[in-house]
Amino acid sequence: MLSLLPQLTIGAVDLVAAFLLLYGLHRMASPVTAPSGIFVAGIGMAVVVLVSFLDIFGVSAAATPVLPVNIGLAVIAIAIGGGVAWWAGKKVAMTAMPQMVAIYNGMGGGAAGAIAAVELFGRHATGMTPLTVTLLGALIGAVSFSGSLIAWAKLQSILNKPLRFPGQKIVNAAVFLITLALGVYIILLDRTGAMSSGLIYLFFGCAMIFGILMTLPIGGADMPVVISIYNACTGLAVGLEGFVLQNPALMIAGMVVGAAGLMLTLVMAKAMNRSVSNVLFSNFGDAPKHKHSDMKGSLKPTEASDAGIFMNYAAKVIIIPGYGLAAAQGQQKLYEFVKLLQSTGVDVKFAIHPVAGRMPGQMDVLLAEAGVPYDMIFQLEDINDEFANTDVALVIGANDVVNPAARTDKSSPIYGMPILNADKSKQVYVVKRGEGKGYAGIQNELFYGENCNMVYGDAAVVLTKMIEAVRGLGKAAA
Amino acid sequence: MISISGIVGLYIFMLAAFAGWIIIGRVPAILHTPLMSGSNFVHGIVVIGGILVLLNASTLTEQIIGFVAVLLGAGNAAGGYAVTERMLAMFQTSSPALKHKAHHRPRKG
């Protein structure tokens, strides 16, 4: 057992750290205070990790002989794990943020699962309640771990096609039930004291296989919701293992994230007009089963320079950026073009769909990276009524979020999803790589509309042409 | 040693879940990505659980799994902090006056 002083120190620091983490999250509620929020939370984390080494004064008798080795292992693990993740996090491109969050989340789930494994292998968790909680945390953590890795592979385009086969749901359900049954069996065996290590391996194996099977059939477009769910799951697993370790800071931080992740998941699902169970079990996401050969009108291509000059003479322009813009690394060019328009008196705003990009809010981050002030960025419900009195809607690399089929076509897979009303503006320009379909794989009747012109090409190249055209005007006038 | 019984544990969970729900409900949609990443960072606190079990590991199996727990937990915490901090540092406003307004009136998402 811990002697009094280290015990009190750990208790006090854990309490302070739990507060700092919550306060930090709270400060993230506004873009102004958010940077200080993560800093505050970071201090809490650093302190709590340092102080946790005071646990050396309370190790069990069995572990005392190998304590120096264990301390060394812990320091090495922190240096390697923390160092590599830190370096990767500092280097990763902003467009790759969703898969980065997925992988860090998987690590957290794996850590929670590993803690549970040590508790189980070492027979530290005994008795009905601790054992049940340990196993529950182990199950959720292991599923979150393997599921997040699959989500990462999908976002990284290592796994491109959703894997679906007949009877998949039955297989998934069977694996899940087997895992549960193994858990119950472990609890029952614990009473007789005949638990075997093989059984624990099997339990973890089944849980991880379930996480993989569960995530494989879900399409790429739904990955943000899936990551958010796994984020909540990891939080829950951490909270449960916190109870097993009798550590209130872990319990609080874990459960706060569990609830926060759940809240965020529901917000996202609502933005896509889908229920969470629909995302998880309907196996939709990028299945282009719907045929659309009956498009009225035609695609009307136009030159980038003409579109640029037209916008220069407009009174009001709303820009709808999508992932295609980020993929072309065109955000800087876009903001340069916007500043040019503003200098000639054009009123320019950005309209962001809740699921623009590969993750809710990712488009906001990508625009912020390019230097766009956040007071120019508007969310769907705040700006949607403005399209009717807007001269030009400029759609760059976005597709499904402006597809009117979501309003009218009941057979469309995106039917019911709130969309940005780009089609209501007087003129629409769509900047697109080619005539391909969107991420959801469906045709877009907006592109065929009377008021719409297509500007084909790489977003960055198109924007450069627009900038040159508008600059050319200014020179001609001078 | 602190001892938390099942019932007290449930109370802690209930209050923490409520706090998380309220805190996140206030965050504007513009911050959803940094927030997801920020809450991801917060559960990186799992690393201290890993440290506790690793320090108490007495067999090779426990040492290996404990090592993995700390490795993964530290990665979660450090990586989560790095990307969240990077993203949040980018948000800026066009006018200094707005800084005040945005603080008092966060946009609802």
Side-chain angles (χ1 to χ4, degrees):
Chain A
M1 280 295 108
L2 276 168
S3 57
L4 194 64
L5 189 61
Q7 184 188 338
L8 283 180
T9 312
I10 292 177
V13 170
D14 279 11
L15 181 67
V16 172
F19 168 76
L20 288 178
L21 287 173
L22 290 197
Y23 183 61
L25 262 187
H26 168 74
R27 285 188 74 84
M28 286 186 212
S30 153
V32 181
T33 54
S36 66
I38 183 67
F39 184 66
V40 166
I43 289 178
M45 187 71 79
V47 172
V48 82
V49 169
L50 276 179
V51 170
S52 71
F53 275 92
L54 287 179
D55 284 326
I56 54 178
F57 294 110
V59 295
S60 60
T64 310
V66 285
L67 188 60
V69 180
N70 288 348
I71 294 173
L73 283 175
V75 172
I76 293 170
I78 291 174
I80 296 177
V84 170
W86 180 272
W87 174 79
K90 285 285 172 200
K91 276 201 69 168
V92 65
M94 279 295 150
T95 41
M97 212 42 90
Q99 48 268 51
M100 224 50 208
V101 174
I103 200 131
Y104 292 144
N105 182 58
M107 291 172 107
I115 291 171
V118 174
E119 293 295 302
L120 290 169
F121 281 123
R123 309 280 191 278
H124 301 302
T126 47
M128 185 79 171
T129 309
L131 198 55
T132 310
V133 175
T134 307
L135 287 166
L136 203 59
L139 171 65
I140 299 170
V143 169
S144 177
F145 171 68
S146 61
S148 295
L149 289 187
I150 298 293
W152 168 80
K154 278 175 182 271
L155 287 164
Q156 192 72 30
S157 297
I158 294 170
L159 291 172
N160 282 319
K161 283 229 161 73
L163 181 107
R164 286 157 198 170
F165 53 84
Q168 191 162 26
K169 279 178 199 165
I170 298 165
V171 173
N172 289 5
V175 175
F176 184 66
L177 289 177
I178 290 171
T179 316
L180 282 188
L182 281 169
V184 173
Y185 191 50
I186 289 174
I187 294 171
L188 292 176
L189 278 187
D190 175 62
R191 299 199 143 174
T192 62
M195 184 159 52
S196 75
S197 297
L199 213 56
I200 298 168
Y201 281 118
L202 201 59
F203 174 79
F204 277 100
C206 283
M208 282 194 273
I209 290 171
F210 176 70
I212 294 171
L213 288 176
M214 172 88 199
T215 321
L216 277 177
I218 302 171
D222 282 338
M223 274 310 127
V225 181
V226 173
I227 298 175
S228 181
I229 291 171
Y230 285 141
N231 187 34
C233 282
T234 301
L236 193 60
V238 170
L240 291 173
E241 295 313 325
F243 174 75
V244 176
L245 297 175
Q246 294 281 300
N247 184 314
L250 234 59
M251 292 172 72
I252 290 171
M255 201 50 70
V256 162
V257 177
L262 182 65
M263 167 69 130
L264 204 54
T265 308
L266 295 176
V267 168
M268 280 178 218
K270 197 174 152 225
M272 300 161 83
N273 195 43
R274 313 260 309 275
S275 72
V276 174
S277 70
N278 180 268
V279 170
L280 289 179
F281 303 116
S282 76
N283 295 350
F284 149 80
D286 48 10
K289 292 200 182 95
H290 192 68
K291 276 191 195 131
H292 246 300
S293 50
D294 54 342
M295 278 295 164
K296 283 181 199 133
S298 59
L299 294 170
K300 297 167 286 295
T302 190
E303 288 300 318
S305 47
D306 294 346
I309 289 166
F310 190 89
M311 278 184 268
N312 187 50
Y313 291 115
K316 187 170 177 183
V317 173
I318 296 180
I319 298 173
I320 302 165
Y323 189 76
L325 173 72
Q329 295 292 326
Q331 306 95 294
Q332 305 278 354
K333 283 280 170 215
L334 177 60
Y335 190 42
E336 197 182 329
F337 178 59
V338 167
K339 280 190 282 194
L340 205 56
L341 290 182
Q342 283 180 322
S343 69
T344 62
V346 184
D347 175 18
V348 187
K349 286 175 179 172
F350 289 90
I352 308 284
H353 191 274
V355 295
R358 293 283 147 91
M359 194 167 166
Q362 190 192 7
M363 218 50 239
D364 304 279
V365 174
L366 293 168
L367 289 178
E369 186 189 17
V372 178
Y374 57 79
D375 39 85
M376 279 177 73
I377 302 173
F378 294 84
Q379 305 299 319
L380 184 137
E381 63 265 38
D382 298 329
I383 201 170
N384 235 359
D385 295 334
E386 287 188 31
F387 281 103
N389 52 39
T390 294
D391 300 308
V392 181
L394 175 62
V395 182
I396 305 184
N399 191 338
D400 300 325
V401 298
V402 289
N403 192 339
R407 285 199 294 256
T408 53
D409 183 0
K410 282 194 177 158
S411 64
S412 170
I414 60 166
Y415 178 71
M417 179 174 89
I419 58 158
L420 287 161
N421 298 328
D423 57 332
K424 301 258 170 83
S425 55
K426 296 186 188 89
Q427 168 69 39
V428 183
Y429 286 113
V430 178
V431 179
K432 236 170 142 292
R433 251 186 179 285
E435 292 187 12
K437 293 172 194 147
Y439 207 42
I442 34 181
Q443 288 276 20
N444 194 336
E445 68 183 76
L446 168 75
F447 302 168
Y448 296 83
E450 282 296 318
N451 59 346
C452 180
N453 289 97
M454 309 296 289
V455 185
Y456 290 120
D458 178 87
V461 176
V462 166
L463 285 163
T464 309
K465 283 184 190 159
M466 287 181 176
I467 291 167
E468 280 166 7
V470 174
R471 285 224 174 101
L473 275 182
K475 276 189 195 132
Chain B
M1 211 55 180
I2 324 167
S3 175
I4 303 162
S5 70
I7 296 295
V8 176
L10 283 178
Y11 273 93
I12 294 179
F13 283 150
M14 185 272 287
L15 290 171
F18 193 68
W21 189 267
I22 298 296
I23 290 171
I24 290 338
R26 287 188 53 236
V27 175
I30 189 171
L31 286 174
H32 274 172
T33 290
L35 169 81
M36 198 145 124
S37 154
S39 61
N40 184 31
F41 159 71
V42 168
H43 67 49
I45 197 174
V46 69
V47 67
I48 69 167
I51 293 170
L52 180 63
V53 297
L54 177 55
L55 291 178
N56 281 293
S58 52
T59 67
L60 185 62
T61 315
E62 287 180 20
Q63 283 177 315
I64 292 172
I65 305 175
F67 181 80
V68 171
V70 178
L71 190 77
L72 294 177
N76 182 182
Y81 184 87
V83 296
T84 309
E85 192 253 337
R86 256 181 78 192
M87 280 192 271
L88 288 176
M90 290 170 188
F91 284 91
Q92 47 195 281
T93 169
S94 51
S95 69
L98 245 148
K99 278 198 170 185
H100 240 74
K101 249 165 95 189
H103 180 65
H104 293 297
R105 193 176 48 86
R107 265 204 308 272
K108 263 282 193 185

